[in-house]
C-alpha cells in the first residue's frame, strides 16, 4: 500500500527551495498525486492537467505542415510536452526549463511522465531561461543550431501575463520582447501560452501588436476540492506570413 504522503526530493534553486511530493487522497481513489512546491507556494499538481495538455492540442491544431519543430517553455510535470509528442507530425521537441532539478526529476524518472519523455527520441531537454533564450533570436532556443526557427512555441511558466513566477519575467510581456521571440517562428508559426486566469483583454491587445491572429480559450476542468469546476486560459497566436 502506498504512503498517503511522501516527499520525494527537495533542492535549492535560483528561485528558492523546490520540492517534489507524492500523496494519496483516499476520497479521490487509488492513485498517486504528484505535486511541486516552490517554497510555500504550490506550482503544479498532477490532479489538474487539462489546461496544460490543451496548451499543446490547441496550439498545434493551428500549425500547418509536417516534420514540425516545437519548443515547450516550462517542463513542469511533463504534461504539455507529452501532449505535444502525441502529435505525430512533430519531428523534434525542445523542452526548455531554467531549473536543473526539474529536468533531473524527469531524467531519473522520479515523475511518471519522465519515462515517456526519455523514451521518445524526438524529445530533448534544454537547461536555460526560456525568457533569455526567447529574446536572443541570434542564438535562440537550440544550443546545437543557433538561430533555428520553429513551427510552434508553447509557454507555461508564469501564473498569468501579470503574475510572475519570478519578478524578472515581467519584461518579457512587451511588444519588443514578444517580437524578438516571434522572430524564432517560421512564417505562419504559432505561439501559445497558458494562464491560470480568465482571458485578459489588455494582454490580447498586446499580443495583437505582434501576431496576425490572436485567440483565447477558456479550459474547464473538474476541481474536487471546490466541489465543482475551475478554469484556466490558453492564448493561441499566429505569426503573419510575409509576402514575397
Amino acid at each position: 500500500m502506498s504512503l498517503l504522503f511522501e516527499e520525494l526530493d527537495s533542492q535549492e534553486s535560483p528561485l528558492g527551495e523546490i520540492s517534489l511530493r507524492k500523496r494519496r487522497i483516499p476520497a479521490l481513489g487509488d492513485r498517486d498525486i504528484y505535486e511541486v512546491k516552490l517554497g510555500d507556494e504550490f506550482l503544479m499538481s498532477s490532479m489538474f492537467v487539462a489546461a496544460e495538455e490543451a496548451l499543446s492540442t490547441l496550439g498545434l491544431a493551428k500549425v500547418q505542415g509536417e516534420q514540425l519543430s516545437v519548443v515547450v517553455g516550462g517542463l513542469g510535470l511533463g504534461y504539455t510536452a507529452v501532449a505535444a509528442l502525441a502529435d505525430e507530425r512533430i519531428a523534434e521537441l525542445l523542452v526548455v526549463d531554467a531549473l536543473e532539478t526539474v529536468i533531473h526529476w524527469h531524467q531519473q524518472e522520479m515523475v511518471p511522465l519522465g519515462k515517456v519523455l526519455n523514451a521518445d527520441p524526438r524529445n530533448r531537454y534544454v537547461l536555460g531561461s526560456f525568457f533569455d533564450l526567447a529574446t536572443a533570436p541570434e542564438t535562440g532556443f537550440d544550443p546545437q543550431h543557433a538561430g533555428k526557427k520553429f513551427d510552434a512555441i508553447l509557454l507555461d511558466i508564469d501564473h498569468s501575463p501579470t503574475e510572475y513566477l519570478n519578478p524578472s519575467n515581467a519584461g518579457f510581456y512587451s511588444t519588443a520582447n514578444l517580437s524578438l521571440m516571434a522572430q524564432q517562428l517560421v512564417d505562419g508559426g504559432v505561439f501559445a501560452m497558458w494562464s491560470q486566469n480568465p482571458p485578459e483583454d489588455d494582454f490580447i491587445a498586446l499580443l495583437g501588436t505582434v501576431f496576425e491572429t490572436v485567440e483565447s480559450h477558456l479550459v474547464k476542468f473538474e476541481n474536487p476540492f471546490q466541489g465543482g469546476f475551475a478554469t484556466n486560459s490558453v492564448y493561441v497566436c499566429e505569426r503573419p506570413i510575409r509576402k514575397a
Side-chain angles (χ1 to χ4, degrees), residues 7 12 57 74 76 78 84 93 96 100 106 116 120 131 135 139 144-145 153 155-156 173 187-188 194 198 210 226 243:
E7 183 169 88
E12 287 298 322
T57 55
L93 183 75
V96 179
E100 188 172 10
H106 287 76
V116 179
D120 197 316
F131 301 104
T135 53
T139 51
Q144 299 177 10
H145 300 94
I153 297 171
L155 176 59
D156 178 5
Y173 301 95
D187 285 359
W194 172 90
V210 177
Q226 297 178 352
K243 296 180 181 179

Side-chain angles (χ1 to χ4, degrees), residues 72-177:
V72 168
L75 176 55
L77 288 171
Y79 286 90
T80 298
V82 168
L85 289 169
D87 190 320
E88 296 180 354
R89 299 175 299 157
I90 288 187
E92 62 173 351
L93 183 75
L94 273 62
V95 186
V96 179
D97 204 286
L99 299 179
E100 188 172 10
T101 297
V102 176
I103 293 176
H104 175 81
W105 291 340
H106 287 76
Q107 290 173 327
Q108 299 302 310
E109 299 181 1
M110 297 171 65
V111 292
L113 296 186
K115 182 175 293 187
V116 179
L117 292 174
N118 296 338
D120 197 316
R122 298 173 296 168
N123 177 65
R124 179 154 41 108
Y125 305 110
V126 176
L127 176 62
S129 164
F130 172 89
F131 301 104
D132 290 346
L133 300 177
T135 53
E138 67 281 358
T139 51
F141 291 107
D142 191 343
Q144 299 177 10
H145 300 94
K148 180 178 176 63
K149 292 184 182 293
F150 295 88
D151 298 284
I153 297 171
L154 312 173
L155 176 59
D156 178 5
I157 294 178
D158 287 323
H159 305 305
S160 79
T162 54
E163 299 166 295
Y164 315 114
L165 187 62
N166 185 332
S168 66
N169 298 348
F172 172 72
Y173 301 95
S174 67
T175 295
N177 283 332

Side-chain angles (χ1 to χ4, degrees), residues 21-38:
R21 303 135 56 97
K22 181 173 71 171
R23 71 169 66 241
R24 286 199 171 191
I25 302 174
L28 299 180
D30 184 27
R31 59 167 171 156
D32 291 323
I33 299 166
Y34 288 80
E35 302 169 336
V36 177
K37 287 187 69 179
L38 185 62

Side-chain angles (χ1 to χ4, degrees), residues 195 197-204 216-218 231-235:
S195 170
N197 295 336
E200 300 180 31
D201 290 340
D202 287 348
F203 186 56
I204 292 171
S216 61
H217 302 264
L218 202 60
T231 58
N232 292 162
S233 297
V234 174
Y235 300 91

